[in-house]
Amino acid sequence: MVSAPASDHGYLPDTVQTAVKLLIVGHFAVGKTTFVNTLSEIRPLSTEEVMTEAGALVDDLTGVQNKTTTTVAMDFGRLTLSDHLVMYLFGAPGQQRFAQLWKDMSRGALGALVLADTRRLEQSFDVMGRLEEQGLPYAVAVNTFDNAPAHPESKLRDALDLLPETPLVSCDARDPKTSTQALITLVEYLQTRIPQERI
């Protein structure tokens, strides 16, 4: 999945015929904004704002005490995959209070990449549950934070209660190579579930 070079102004070539929408989801402070920023070929749309004292009372900062900003609407990025195909990445905020926005954003998406953090795996269940309610296929990518514990894949699959066919990979949201590989894994999985004419 190597993106084709965009024009100097970020405009799509006239030859693009197909657009694919994917969600980048996960719980609060799992690295969604970083992931979209890492892979977008255009300057990404980001709605990061400084966290307020009121937000600190609502959002669980356990393990992420140094976090000072949060997404208040969405992240948006783009990858041109070929002269004919473009991929749009929509990063959805993970907090429960954004559930309706999250649901609206999922309309028209082919699937989702769920980012997870081994320090807070239990917080991934709400996110995966929302995807399953909407019938949206997904893959899981464990974002490898510097101070997070590492576990064998079998234990992670058990802890996340994943179906055997659900892909599970690791990535570093700051690293283009492993983040790209996570997206490739998702797209390959979607190709087994979605009619080819939609991709």
Side-chain angles (χ1 to χ4, degrees), residues 118 121 125 142 150-164 166-170:
T118 58
L121 285 177
F125 287 112
V142 174
H151 302 287
E153 180 180 333
S154 59
K155 290 193 174 183
L156 287 172
R157 295 190 74 85
D158 288 345
L160 290 167
D161 195 25
L162 297 180
L163 294 173
T166 303
L168 175 66
V169 296
S170 293

PDB file of all heavy atoms in Angstrom, residues 118 121 125 142 150-164 166-170:
ATOM      1  N   THR A 118      -2.174  -1.921  25.483  1.00  0.00           N
ATOM      2  CA  THR A 118      -2.110  -3.054  26.420  1.00  0.00           C
ATOM      3  C   THR A 118      -2.247  -2.629  27.879  1.00  0.00           C
ATOM      4  O   THR A 118      -2.524  -3.456  28.736  1.00  0.00           O
ATOM      5  CB  THR A 118      -0.796  -3.844  26.252  1.00  0.00           C
ATOM      6  OG1 THR A 118       0.321  -2.971  26.464  1.00  0.00           O
ATOM      7  CG2 THR A 118      -0.702  -4.477  24.868  1.00  0.00           C
ATOM      8  N   LEU A 121      -6.579  -2.493  27.992  1.00  0.00           N
ATOM      9  CA  LEU A 121      -7.289  -3.302  27.009  1.00  0.00           C
ATOM     10  C   LEU A 121      -8.796  -3.313  27.241  1.00  0.00           C
ATOM     11  O   LEU A 121      -9.583  -3.347  26.299  1.00  0.00           O
ATOM     12  CB  LEU A 121      -6.770  -4.746  27.019  1.00  0.00           C
ATOM     13  CG  LEU A 121      -5.410  -4.983  26.362  1.00  0.00           C
ATOM     14  CD1 LEU A 121      -5.007  -6.439  26.516  1.00  0.00           C
ATOM     15  CD2 LEU A 121      -5.420  -4.579  24.897  1.00  0.00           C
ATOM     16  N   PHE A 125     -13.436  -2.689  24.687  1.00  0.00           N
ATOM     17  CA  PHE A 125     -14.677  -3.445  24.506  1.00  0.00           C
ATOM     18  C   PHE A 125     -15.831  -2.571  24.031  1.00  0.00           C
ATOM     19  O   PHE A 125     -16.609  -2.977  23.177  1.00  0.00           O
ATOM     20  CB  PHE A 125     -15.047  -4.184  25.796  1.00  0.00           C
ATOM     21  CG  PHE A 125     -14.162  -5.367  26.064  1.00  0.00           C
ATOM     22  CD1 PHE A 125     -13.287  -5.362  27.132  1.00  0.00           C
ATOM     23  CD2 PHE A 125     -14.185  -6.464  25.233  1.00  0.00           C
ATOM     24  CE1 PHE A 125     -12.459  -6.440  27.375  1.00  0.00           C
ATOM     25  CE2 PHE A 125     -13.360  -7.560  25.464  1.00  0.00           C
ATOM     26  CZ  PHE A 125     -12.490  -7.547  26.531  1.00  0.00           C
ATOM     27  N   VAL A 142      -2.607  -3.191  18.001  1.00  0.00           N
ATOM     28  CA  VAL A 142      -2.107  -2.792  19.310  1.00  0.00           C
ATOM     29  C   VAL A 142      -1.040  -1.729  19.098  1.00  0.00           C
ATOM     30  O   VAL A 142      -0.014  -1.983  18.458  1.00  0.00           O
ATOM     31  CB  VAL A 142      -1.535  -3.993  20.089  1.00  0.00           C
ATOM     32  CG1 VAL A 142      -0.891  -3.538  21.388  1.00  0.00           C
ATOM     33  CG2 VAL A 142      -2.633  -5.020  20.353  1.00  0.00           C
ATOM     34  N   ALA A 150       4.267  -5.839  26.916  1.00  0.00           N
ATOM     35  CA  ALA A 150       4.076  -6.646  25.710  1.00  0.00           C
ATOM     36  C   ALA A 150       3.548  -8.020  26.110  1.00  0.00           C
ATOM     37  O   ALA A 150       3.942  -8.561  27.149  1.00  0.00           O
ATOM     38  CB  ALA A 150       5.390  -6.786  24.958  1.00  0.00           C
ATOM     39  N   HIS A 151       2.651  -8.564  25.305  1.00  0.00           N
ATOM     40  CA  HIS A 151       2.061  -9.874  25.578  1.00  0.00           C
ATOM     41  C   HIS A 151       2.042 -10.689  24.291  1.00  0.00           C
ATOM     42  O   HIS A 151       1.950 -10.127  23.197  1.00  0.00           O
ATOM     43  CB  HIS A 151       0.623  -9.725  26.094  1.00  0.00           C
ATOM     44  CG  HIS A 151       0.508  -8.907  27.339  1.00  0.00           C
ATOM     45  ND1 HIS A 151       0.916  -9.357  28.567  1.00  0.00           N
ATOM     46  CD2 HIS A 151       0.017  -7.664  27.534  1.00  0.00           C
ATOM     47  CE1 HIS A 151       0.683  -8.429  29.477  1.00  0.00           C
ATOM     48  NE2 HIS A 151       0.145  -7.382  28.872  1.00  0.00           N
ATOM     49  N   PRO A 152       2.092 -12.020  24.407  1.00  0.00           N
ATOM     50  CA  PRO A 152       1.962 -12.860  23.206  1.00  0.00           C
ATOM     51  C   PRO A 152       0.620 -12.640  22.533  1.00  0.00           C
ATOM     52  O   PRO A 152      -0.377 -12.303  23.188  1.00  0.00           O
ATOM     53  CB  PRO A 152       2.064 -14.291  23.758  1.00  0.00           C
ATOM     54  CG  PRO A 152       2.671 -14.161  25.106  1.00  0.00           C
ATOM     55  CD  PRO A 152       2.283 -12.809  25.624  1.00  0.00           C
ATOM     56  N   GLU A 153       0.580 -12.842  21.230  1.00  0.00           N
ATOM     57  CA  GLU A 153      -0.653 -12.616  20.474  1.00  0.00           C
ATOM     58  C   GLU A 153      -1.809 -13.449  21.021  1.00  0.00           C
ATOM     59  O   GLU A 153      -2.942 -12.968  21.113  1.00  0.00           O
ATOM     60  CB  GLU A 153      -0.442 -12.944  18.995  1.00  0.00           C
ATOM     61  CG  GLU A 153      -1.695 -12.735  18.161  1.00  0.00           C
ATOM     62  CD  GLU A 153      -1.518 -13.041  16.692  1.00  0.00           C
ATOM     63  OE1 GLU A 153      -0.378 -12.930  16.196  1.00  0.00           O
ATOM     64  OE2 GLU A 153      -2.517 -13.405  16.046  1.00  0.00           O
ATOM     65  N   SER A 154      -1.537 -14.692  21.393  1.00  0.00           N
ATOM     66  CA  SER A 154      -2.622 -15.560  21.884  1.00  0.00           C
ATOM     67  C   SER A 154      -3.267 -14.978  23.134  1.00  0.00           C
ATOM     68  O   SER A 154      -4.496 -15.025  23.296  1.00  0.00           O
ATOM     69  CB  SER A 154      -2.090 -16.967  22.164  1.00  0.00           C
ATOM     70  OG  SER A 154      -1.048 -16.922  23.131  1.00  0.00           O
ATOM     71  N   LYS A 155      -2.454 -14.411  24.025  1.00  0.00           N
ATOM     72  CA  LYS A 155      -3.014 -13.817  25.246  1.00  0.00           C
ATOM     73  C   LYS A 155      -3.793 -12.544  24.928  1.00  0.00           C
ATOM     74  O   LYS A 155      -4.830 -12.277  25.551  1.00  0.00           O
ATOM     75  CB  LYS A 155      -1.899 -13.528  26.255  1.00  0.00           C
ATOM     76  CG  LYS A 155      -1.304 -14.781  26.859  1.00  0.00           C
ATOM     77  CD  LYS A 155      -0.447 -14.467  28.069  1.00  0.00           C
ATOM     78  CE  LYS A 155      -0.004 -15.770  28.734  1.00  0.00           C
ATOM     79  NZ  LYS A 155       0.786 -15.526  29.959  1.00  0.00           N
ATOM     80  N   LEU A 156      -3.300 -11.764  23.983  1.00  0.00           N
ATOM     81  CA  LEU A 156      -4.021 -10.556  23.590  1.00  0.00           C
ATOM     82  C   LEU A 156      -5.365 -10.911  22.955  1.00  0.00           C
ATOM     83  O   LEU A 156      -6.386 -10.277  23.247  1.00  0.00           O
ATOM     84  CB  LEU A 156      -3.183  -9.730  22.607  1.00  0.00           C
ATOM     85  CG  LEU A 156      -1.981  -9.003  23.203  1.00  0.00           C
ATOM     86  CD1 LEU A 156      -1.130  -8.395  22.091  1.00  0.00           C
ATOM     87  CD2 LEU A 156      -2.425  -7.933  24.183  1.00  0.00           C
ATOM     88  N   ARG A 157      -5.368 -11.941  22.106  1.00  0.00           N
ATOM     89  CA  ARG A 157      -6.616 -12.353  21.477  1.00  0.00           C
ATOM     90  C   ARG A 157      -7.625 -12.795  22.534  1.00  0.00           C
ATOM     91  O   ARG A 157      -8.811 -12.461  22.460  1.00  0.00           O
ATOM     92  CB  ARG A 157      -6.383 -13.482  20.467  1.00  0.00           C
ATOM     93  CG  ARG A 157      -5.532 -13.084  19.267  1.00  0.00           C
ATOM     94  CD  ARG A 157      -5.558 -14.190  18.209  1.00  0.00           C
ATOM     95  NE  ARG A 157      -6.841 -14.181  17.529  1.00  0.00           N
ATOM     96  CZ  ARG A 157      -7.122 -13.398  16.493  1.00  0.00           C
ATOM     97  NH1 ARG A 157      -6.197 -12.575  16.002  1.00  0.00           N
ATOM     98  NH2 ARG A 157      -8.302 -13.423  15.949  1.00  0.00           N
ATOM     99  N   ASP A 158      -7.146 -13.556  23.515  1.00  0.00           N
ATOM    100  CA  ASP A 158      -8.037 -14.005  24.591  1.00  0.00           C
ATOM    101  C   ASP A 158      -8.541 -12.818  25.407  1.00  0.00           C
ATOM    102  O   ASP A 158      -9.727 -12.737  25.735  1.00  0.00           O
ATOM    103  CB  ASP A 158      -7.316 -14.992  25.510  1.00  0.00           C
ATOM    104  CG  ASP A 158      -7.106 -16.354  24.857  1.00  0.00           C
ATOM    105  OD1 ASP A 158      -7.762 -16.634  23.826  1.00  0.00           O
ATOM    106  OD2 ASP A 158      -6.278 -17.133  25.371  1.00  0.00           O
ATOM    107  N   ALA A 159      -7.639 -11.902  25.745  1.00  0.00           N
ATOM    108  CA  ALA A 159      -8.016 -10.751  26.575  1.00  0.00           C
ATOM    109  C   ALA A 159      -9.034  -9.859  25.865  1.00  0.00           C
ATOM    110  O   ALA A 159      -9.927  -9.288  26.509  1.00  0.00           O
ATOM    111  CB  ALA A 159      -6.776  -9.940  26.944  1.00  0.00           C
ATOM    112  N   LEU A 160      -8.914  -9.748  24.543  1.00  0.00           N
ATOM    113  CA  LEU A 160      -9.843  -8.918  23.766  1.00  0.00           C
ATOM    114  C   LEU A 160     -11.061  -9.698  23.282  1.00  0.00           C
ATOM    115  O   LEU A 160     -11.964  -9.121  22.690  1.00  0.00           O
ATOM    116  CB  LEU A 160      -9.114  -8.302  22.562  1.00  0.00           C
ATOM    117  CG  LEU A 160      -8.084  -7.225  22.895  1.00  0.00           C
ATOM    118  CD1 LEU A 160      -7.203  -6.921  21.681  1.00  0.00           C
ATOM    119  CD2 LEU A 160      -8.766  -5.959  23.392  1.00  0.00           C
ATOM    120  N   ASP A 161     -11.057 -11.016  23.533  1.00  0.00           N
ATOM    121  CA  ASP A 161     -12.173 -11.889  23.142  1.00  0.00           C
ATOM    122  C   ASP A 161     -12.460 -11.770  21.649  1.00  0.00           C
ATOM    123  O   ASP A 161     -13.605 -11.601  21.226  1.00  0.00           O
ATOM    124  CB  ASP A 161     -13.426 -11.546  23.963  1.00  0.00           C
ATOM    125  CG  ASP A 161     -14.485 -12.639  23.869  1.00  0.00           C
ATOM    126  OD1 ASP A 161     -14.121 -13.803  23.616  1.00  0.00           O
ATOM    127  OD2 ASP A 161     -15.688 -12.313  24.022  1.00  0.00           O
ATOM    128  N   LEU A 162     -11.393 -11.877  20.842  1.00  0.00           N
ATOM    129  CA  LEU A 162     -11.528 -11.720  19.391  1.00  0.00           C
ATOM    130  C   LEU A 162     -11.954 -13.024  18.731  1.00  0.00           C
ATOM    131  O   LEU A 162     -11.548 -14.112  19.150  1.00  0.00           O
ATOM    132  CB  LEU A 162     -10.199 -11.268  18.775  1.00  0.00           C
ATOM    133  CG  LEU A 162      -9.664  -9.907  19.216  1.00  0.00           C
ATOM    134  CD1 LEU A 162      -8.343  -9.621  18.508  1.00  0.00           C
ATOM    135  CD2 LEU A 162     -10.676  -8.805  18.963  1.00  0.00           C
ATOM    136  N   LEU A 163     -12.769 -12.911  17.701  1.00  0.00           N
ATOM    137  CA  LEU A 163     -13.092 -14.067  16.878  1.00  0.00           C
ATOM    138  C   LEU A 163     -11.830 -14.529  16.157  1.00  0.00           C
ATOM    139  O   LEU A 163     -10.934 -13.720  15.878  1.00  0.00           O
ATOM    140  CB  LEU A 163     -14.166 -13.699  15.854  1.00  0.00           C
ATOM    141  CG  LEU A 163     -15.548 -13.358  16.418  1.00  0.00           C
ATOM    142  CD1 LEU A 163     -16.455 -12.843  15.309  1.00  0.00           C
ATOM    143  CD2 LEU A 163     -16.163 -14.559  17.107  1.00  0.00           C
ATOM    144  N   PRO A 164     -11.734 -15.812  15.827  1.00  0.00           N
ATOM    145  CA  PRO A 164     -10.513 -16.317  15.171  1.00  0.00           C
ATOM    146  C   PRO A 164     -10.172 -15.571  13.885  1.00  0.00           C
ATOM    147  O   PRO A 164      -8.995 -15.400  13.557  1.00  0.00           O
ATOM    148  CB  PRO A 164     -10.846 -17.790  14.882  1.00  0.00           C
ATOM    149  CG  PRO A 164     -11.898 -18.139  15.873  1.00  0.00           C
ATOM    150  CD  PRO A 164     -12.698 -16.888  16.109  1.00  0.00           C
ATOM    151  N   THR A 166     -10.762 -12.383  13.174  1.00  0.00           N
ATOM    152  CA  THR A 166     -10.469 -10.957  13.345  1.00  0.00           C
ATOM    153  C   THR A 166      -8.960 -10.731  13.366  1.00  0.00           C
ATOM    154  O   THR A 166      -8.268 -11.265  14.235  1.00  0.00           O
ATOM    155  CB  THR A 166     -11.081 -10.409  14.646  1.00  0.00           C
ATOM    156  OG1 THR A 166     -12.496 -10.640  14.623  1.00  0.00           O
ATOM    157  CG2 THR A 166     -10.816  -8.916  14.786  1.00  0.00           C
ATOM    158  N   PRO A 167      -8.420  -9.953  12.436  1.00  0.00           N
ATOM    159  CA  PRO A 167      -6.973  -9.729  12.410  1.00  0.00           C
ATOM    160  C   PRO A 167      -6.493  -8.959  13.640  1.00  0.00           C
ATOM    161  O   PRO A 167      -7.173  -8.051  14.127  1.00  0.00           O
ATOM    162  CB  PRO A 167      -6.756  -8.901  11.142  1.00  0.00           C
ATOM    163  CG  PRO A 167      -7.978  -9.122  10.308  1.00  0.00           C
ATOM    164  CD  PRO A 167      -9.094  -9.322  11.288  1.00  0.00           C
ATOM    165  N   LEU A 168      -5.323  -9.332  14.125  1.00  0.00           N
ATOM    166  CA  LEU A 168      -4.675  -8.645  15.244  1.00  0.00           C
ATOM    167  C   LEU A 168      -3.215  -8.417  14.876  1.00  0.00           C
ATOM    168  O   LEU A 168      -2.494  -9.367  14.563  1.00  0.00           O
ATOM    169  CB  LEU A 168      -4.773  -9.477  16.520  1.00  0.00           C
ATOM    170  CG  LEU A 168      -4.027  -8.932  17.740  1.00  0.00           C
ATOM    171  CD1 LEU A 168      -4.637  -7.608  18.210  1.00  0.00           C
ATOM    172  CD2 LEU A 168      -4.033  -9.952  18.880  1.00  0.00           C
ATOM    173  N   VAL A 169      -2.790  -7.157  14.877  1.00  0.00           N
ATOM    174  CA  VAL A 169      -1.416  -6.796  14.551  1.00  0.00           C
ATOM    175  C   VAL A 169      -0.914  -5.794  15.583  1.00  0.00           C
ATOM    176  O   VAL A 169      -1.678  -5.286  16.400  1.00  0.00           O
ATOM    177  CB  VAL A 169      -1.301  -6.184  13.136  1.00  0.00           C
ATOM    178  CG1 VAL A 169      -1.689  -7.195  12.074  1.00  0.00           C
ATOM    179  CG2 VAL A 169      -2.146  -4.924  13.016  1.00  0.00           C
ATOM    180  N   SER A 170       0.363  -5.499  15.537  1.00  0.00           N
ATOM    181  CA  SER A 170       0.948  -4.432  16.356  1.00  0.00           C
ATOM    182  C   SER A 170       1.434  -3.329  15.433  1.00  0.00           C
ATOM    183  O   SER A 170       1.813  -3.581  14.287  1.00  0.00           O
ATOM    184  CB  SER A 170       2.132  -4.964  17.172  1.00  0.00           C
ATOM    185  OG  SER A 170       1.692  -5.898  18.135  1.00  0.00           O
TER     186      SER A 170
END
